[in-house]
Amino acid sequence: AQKITQTQPGMFVQEKEAVTLDCTYDTSDPSYGLFWYKQPSSGEMIFLIYQGSYDQQNATEGRYSLNFQKARKSANLVISASQLGDSAMYFCAMREGVYNFNKFYFGSGTKLNVKP
Amino acid sequence: DTEVTQTPKHLVMGMTNKKSLKCEQHMGHRAMYWYKQKAKKPPELMFVYSYEKLSINESVPSRFSPECPNSSLLNLHLHALQPEDSALYLCASSQEWGPQETQYFGPGTRLLVL
Protein backbone atom coordinates (compact mmCIF):
# COMPACT_ATOMS: atom_id res chain seq x y z
CA ALA A 1 0.00 0.00 0.00
CA GLN A 2 1.16 3.52 -0.72
CA LYS A 3 2.18 5.54 2.29
CA ILE A 4 1.06 8.88 0.83
CA THR A 5 -1.68 9.28 -1.76
CA GLN A 6 -2.43 12.45 -3.67
CA THR A 7 -5.35 11.78 -5.98
CA GLN A 8 -5.38 15.09 -7.86
CA PRO A 9 -2.66 15.14 -10.54
CA GLY A 10 -3.67 18.66 -11.57
CA MET A 11 -5.97 21.40 -10.38
CA PHE A 12 -7.06 24.86 -11.51
CA VAL A 13 -8.16 27.67 -9.23
CA GLN A 14 -9.17 31.24 -9.90
CA GLU A 15 -6.96 33.91 -8.43
CA LYS A 16 -8.12 35.07 -4.96
CA GLU A 17 -10.16 31.93 -4.38
CA ALA A 18 -9.36 29.19 -1.86
CA VAL A 19 -8.25 25.73 -2.93
CA THR A 20 -7.86 22.39 -1.14
CA LEU A 21 -5.23 19.86 -2.14
CA ASP A 22 -5.95 16.34 -0.93
CA CYS A 23 -3.56 14.01 0.85
CA THR A 24 -4.21 10.70 2.58
CA TYR A 25 -1.64 8.66 4.41
CA ASP A 26 -1.15 5.15 5.69
CA THR A 27 0.81 4.27 8.79
CA SER A 28 0.45 2.11 11.87
CA ASP A 29 3.06 4.07 13.80
CA PRO A 30 1.49 6.35 16.44
CA SER A 31 4.27 8.90 16.01
CA TYR A 32 4.49 10.60 12.63
CA GLY A 33 4.78 13.98 11.00
CA LEU A 34 3.06 15.31 7.92
CA PHE A 35 4.56 17.95 5.66
CA TRP A 36 3.60 19.93 2.60
CA TYR A 37 6.15 21.24 0.13
CA LYS A 38 5.79 23.54 -2.86
CA GLN A 39 7.99 23.05 -5.91
CA PRO A 40 7.91 25.80 -8.53
CA SER A 41 9.25 25.14 -12.01
CA SER A 42 12.65 26.38 -10.80
CA GLY A 43 12.99 23.12 -8.88
CA GLU A 44 13.48 24.15 -5.27
CA MET A 45 11.36 22.29 -2.71
CA ILE A 46 9.91 24.92 -0.39
CA PHE A 47 8.66 23.81 3.01
CA LEU A 48 5.15 25.12 3.70
CA ILE A 49 3.63 23.54 6.77
CA TYR A 50 3.99 20.73 9.31
CA GLN A 51 1.48 18.73 11.37
CA GLY A 52 2.49 16.30 14.09
CA SER A 53 0.44 13.21 14.88
CA TYR A 54 -0.05 14.33 18.47
CA ASP A 55 -0.97 17.90 17.64
CA GLN A 56 -4.48 18.72 18.78
CA GLN A 57 -4.97 21.71 16.53
CA ASN A 58 -4.67 22.09 12.79
CA ALA A 59 -1.47 23.78 11.69
CA THR A 60 -1.59 27.19 10.04
CA GLU A 61 1.11 29.26 8.37
CA GLY A 62 -0.10 32.48 6.81
CA ARG A 63 -2.36 31.59 3.87
CA TYR A 64 -1.67 27.89 4.34
CA SER A 65 -3.59 25.64 6.70
CA LEU A 66 -3.59 21.92 7.12
CA ASN A 67 -6.93 20.18 7.60
CA PHE A 68 -5.83 17.24 9.75
CA GLN A 69 -8.41 14.48 10.17
CA LYS A 70 -6.61 11.75 12.06
CA ALA A 71 -9.37 9.15 12.01
CA ARG A 72 -9.66 9.49 8.25
CA LYS A 73 -5.88 9.64 7.86
CA SER A 74 -6.10 12.75 5.76
CA ALA A 75 -3.98 15.89 5.78
CA ASN A 76 -5.35 18.25 3.19
CA LEU A 77 -3.64 21.55 2.41
CA VAL A 78 -5.86 24.60 2.15
CA ILE A 79 -4.52 27.68 0.39
CA SER A 80 -6.63 30.77 0.96
CA ALA A 81 -6.76 33.72 -1.43
CA SER A 82 -4.74 32.06 -4.20
CA GLN A 83 -2.10 34.10 -5.95
CA LEU A 84 -0.50 33.64 -9.35
CA GLY A 85 2.75 32.78 -7.60
CA ASP A 86 1.06 29.77 -6.03
CA SER A 87 1.17 27.96 -9.38
CA ALA A 88 3.51 25.04 -8.70
CA MET A 89 3.70 21.35 -7.88
CA TYR A 90 2.69 20.51 -4.33
CA PHE A 91 3.93 17.43 -2.51
CA CYS A 92 2.55 15.90 0.65
CA ALA A 93 5.09 13.95 2.70
CA MET A 94 5.18 11.86 5.84
CA ARG A 95 7.87 10.90 8.26
CA GLU A 96 7.06 8.08 10.66
CA GLY A 97 8.65 6.73 13.78
CA VAL A 98 11.71 7.85 15.64
CA TYR A 99 15.32 7.48 14.54
CA ASN A 100 14.23 6.34 11.10
CA PHE A 101 16.14 8.51 8.69
CA ASN A 102 14.85 6.96 5.53
CA LYS A 103 11.19 6.84 6.40
CA PHE A 104 10.26 10.09 4.65
CA TYR A 105 7.59 9.32 2.07
CA PHE A 106 6.41 11.66 -0.68
CA GLY A 107 3.13 11.58 -2.55
CA SER A 108 3.02 11.80 -6.32
CA GLY A 109 2.21 15.51 -6.23
CA THR A 110 -0.53 17.86 -7.39
CA LYS A 111 0.11 20.47 -10.07
CA LEU A 112 -1.77 23.64 -9.17
CA ASN A 113 -2.48 26.29 -11.78
CA VAL A 114 -3.82 29.64 -10.63
CA LYS A 115 -5.78 31.50 -13.31
CA PRO A 116 -5.89 35.30 -13.44
CA ASP B 1 17.91 31.42 8.09
CA THR B 2 16.70 28.23 6.48
CA GLU B 3 19.04 28.13 3.52
CA VAL B 4 20.68 25.23 1.78
CA THR B 5 22.88 26.09 -1.17
CA GLN B 6 23.86 23.85 -4.06
CA THR B 7 26.40 24.23 -6.83
CA PRO B 8 26.39 24.09 -9.75
CA LYS B 9 22.83 24.94 -10.78
CA HIS B 10 23.23 23.14 -14.09
CA LEU B 11 25.69 20.49 -15.20
CA VAL B 12 26.20 18.77 -18.52
CA MET B 13 28.61 15.85 -18.58
CA GLY B 14 29.65 13.00 -20.79
CA MET B 15 29.52 9.40 -19.71
CA THR B 16 33.28 9.28 -19.17
CA ASN B 17 33.52 12.47 -17.12
CA LYS B 18 34.04 12.87 -13.41
CA LYS B 19 32.20 15.71 -11.70
CA SER B 20 31.01 16.67 -8.23
CA LEU B 21 27.88 18.27 -6.84
CA LYS B 22 28.21 20.39 -3.73
CA CYS B 23 25.77 21.23 -0.97
CA GLU B 24 26.22 23.53 2.01
CA GLN B 25 24.13 24.50 5.00
CA HIS B 26 24.91 26.79 7.92
CA MET B 27 21.92 26.02 10.10
CA GLY B 28 23.77 23.64 12.40
CA HIS B 29 21.79 20.72 11.07
CA ARG B 30 23.19 17.29 11.83
CA ALA B 31 21.45 15.27 9.12
CA MET B 32 21.95 15.82 5.38
CA TYR B 33 20.35 14.09 2.43
CA TRP B 34 20.75 13.57 -1.30
CA TYR B 35 17.66 13.02 -3.45
CA LYS B 36 17.21 12.33 -7.14
CA GLN B 37 14.11 13.65 -8.88
CA LYS B 38 12.96 12.82 -12.37
CA ALA B 39 10.52 15.11 -14.18
CA LYS B 40 6.97 15.08 -12.79
CA LYS B 41 7.91 12.57 -10.08
CA PRO B 42 8.51 12.95 -6.34
CA PRO B 43 12.07 13.00 -5.01
CA GLU B 44 13.72 9.66 -4.36
CA LEU B 45 16.06 9.32 -1.41
CA MET B 46 19.63 8.34 -2.28
CA PHE B 47 21.79 8.90 0.81
CA VAL B 48 21.49 10.12 4.38
CA TYR B 49 24.33 11.41 6.52
CA SER B 50 23.95 11.80 10.25
CA TYR B 51 26.69 13.48 12.26
CA GLU B 52 28.92 13.25 9.18
CA LYS B 53 28.54 9.48 8.93
CA LEU B 54 26.69 7.67 6.17
CA SER B 55 23.51 6.30 7.71
CA ILE B 56 21.49 5.28 4.69
CA ASN B 57 22.41 4.20 1.17
CA GLU B 58 19.27 3.38 -0.76
CA SER B 59 20.98 0.83 -3.02
CA VAL B 60 22.43 3.57 -5.17
CA PRO B 61 24.86 2.48 -7.95
CA SER B 62 28.52 2.94 -7.12
CA ARG B 63 28.93 5.52 -9.88
CA PHE B 64 27.42 7.89 -7.29
CA SER B 65 29.76 8.44 -4.36
CA PRO B 66 28.73 10.68 -1.46
CA GLU B 67 31.10 12.47 0.87
CA CYS B 68 30.57 14.58 3.98
CA PRO B 69 33.81 16.50 4.70
CA ASN B 70 32.30 18.33 7.68
CA SER B 71 28.98 19.05 9.31
CA SER B 72 28.14 21.84 6.85
CA LEU B 73 29.16 20.27 3.56
CA LEU B 74 27.89 17.39 1.50
CA ASN B 75 29.31 16.32 -1.85
CA LEU B 76 28.12 13.89 -4.46
CA HIS B 77 30.88 12.60 -6.73
CA LEU B 78 29.79 11.42 -10.15
CA HIS B 79 31.70 9.04 -12.41
CA ALA B 80 30.77 7.07 -15.52
CA LEU B 81 27.15 8.12 -15.39
CA GLN B 82 24.48 6.92 -17.79
CA PRO B 83 21.97 9.06 -19.70
CA GLU B 84 19.21 7.75 -17.43
CA ASP B 85 20.96 9.46 -14.52
CA SER B 86 19.89 12.81 -15.96
CA ALA B 87 17.67 14.37 -13.31
CA LEU B 88 17.34 17.11 -10.70
CA TYR B 89 19.55 16.35 -7.70
CA LEU B 90 18.34 17.86 -4.47
CA CYS B 91 20.20 18.24 -1.23
CA ALA B 92 18.36 18.65 2.07
CA SER B 93 19.18 19.00 5.74
CA SER B 94 17.37 18.65 9.04
CA GLN B 95 18.16 19.47 12.64
CA GLU B 96 17.98 15.90 13.85
CA TRP B 97 15.95 12.88 13.04
CA GLY B 98 12.49 11.94 14.19
CA PRO B 99 9.04 12.50 12.79
CA GLN B 100 8.87 16.17 13.68
CA GLU B 101 12.05 17.15 11.90
CA THR B 102 11.51 19.27 8.82
CA GLN B 103 13.82 18.78 5.89
CA TYR B 104 14.96 21.97 4.18
CA PHE B 105 15.93 21.64 0.55
CA GLY B 106 18.41 23.42 -1.66
CA PRO B 107 17.56 24.71 -5.15
CA GLY B 108 18.92 21.59 -6.80
CA THR B 109 21.38 20.79 -9.59
CA ARG B 110 19.94 19.92 -12.98
CA LEU B 111 22.17 17.23 -14.43
CA LEU B 112 22.23 16.19 -18.07
CA VAL B 113 24.32 13.17 -19.05
CA LEU B 114 25.12 12.89 -22.73
Side-chain angles (χ1 to χ4, degrees), chain A residues 5 22-27 32 34 67-76:
Chain A
T5 301
D22 295 341
C23 173
T24 57
Y25 60 92
D26 181 30
T27 182
Y32 55 90
L34 297 158
N67 185 0
F68 182 45
Q69 299 191 36
K70 197 169 183 177
R72 295 185 177 184
K73 294 189 175 180
S74 74
N76 298 338

Side-chain angles (χ1 to χ4, degrees), chain A residues 31-35 37 39-47 50 89 91 95-104 106-109, chain B residues 4 31 33 35 37 40-43 45 48-50 55-56 58 88 90 94 96-107 110:
Chain A
S31 180
Y32 55 90
L34 297 158
F35 305 81
Y37 287 87
Q39 189 175 39
S41 56
S42 59
E44 183 173 3
M45 295 278 285
I46 302 167
F47 165 68
Y50 161 80
M89 182 72 88
F91 289 99
R95 198 164 193 175
E96 55 182 0
V98 182
Y99 305 119
N100 289 312
F101 294 100
N102 61 330
K103 287 191 174 180
F104 198 86
F106 283 94
S108 55
Chain B
V4 178
Y33 312 78
Y35 287 87
Q37 187 180 23
K40 300 183 181 180
K41 297 288 187 182
L45 184 66
V48 180
Y49 272 82
S50 170
S55 301
I56 298 292
E58 290 287 334
L88 177 68
L90 292 163
S94 64
E96 289 283 352
W97 52 88
Q100 75 281 9
E101 291 302 331
T102 300
Q103 291 188 21
Y104 295 94
F105 286 79
R110 291 194 185 275

Side-chain angles (χ1 to χ4, degrees), chain A residues 42-59:
Chain A
S42 59
E44 183 173 3
M45 295 278 285
I46 302 167
F47 165 68
L48 295 178
I49 196 166
Y50 161 80
Q51 181 84 43
S53 59
Y54 298 114
D55 293 343
Q56 296 295 314
Q57 293 188 325
N58 288 343

Side-chain angles (χ1 to χ4, degrees), chain B residues 58-105:
Chain B
E58 290 287 334
S59 302
V60 179
S62 59
R63 57 186 184 268
F64 295 91
S65 175
E67 178 196 19
C68 190
N70 59 56
S71 59
S72 300
L73 289 173
L74 187 65
N75 297 323
L76 186 63
H77 302 297
L78 314 173
H79 174 55
L81 294 194
Q82 304 297 310
E84 59 263 29
D85 297 322
S86 299
L88 177 68
Y89 288 84
L90 292 163
C91 173
S93 69
S94 64
Q95 179 69 23
E96 289 283 352
W97 52 88
Q100 75 281 9
E101 291 302 331
T102 300
Q103 291 188 21
Y104 295 94
F105 286 79

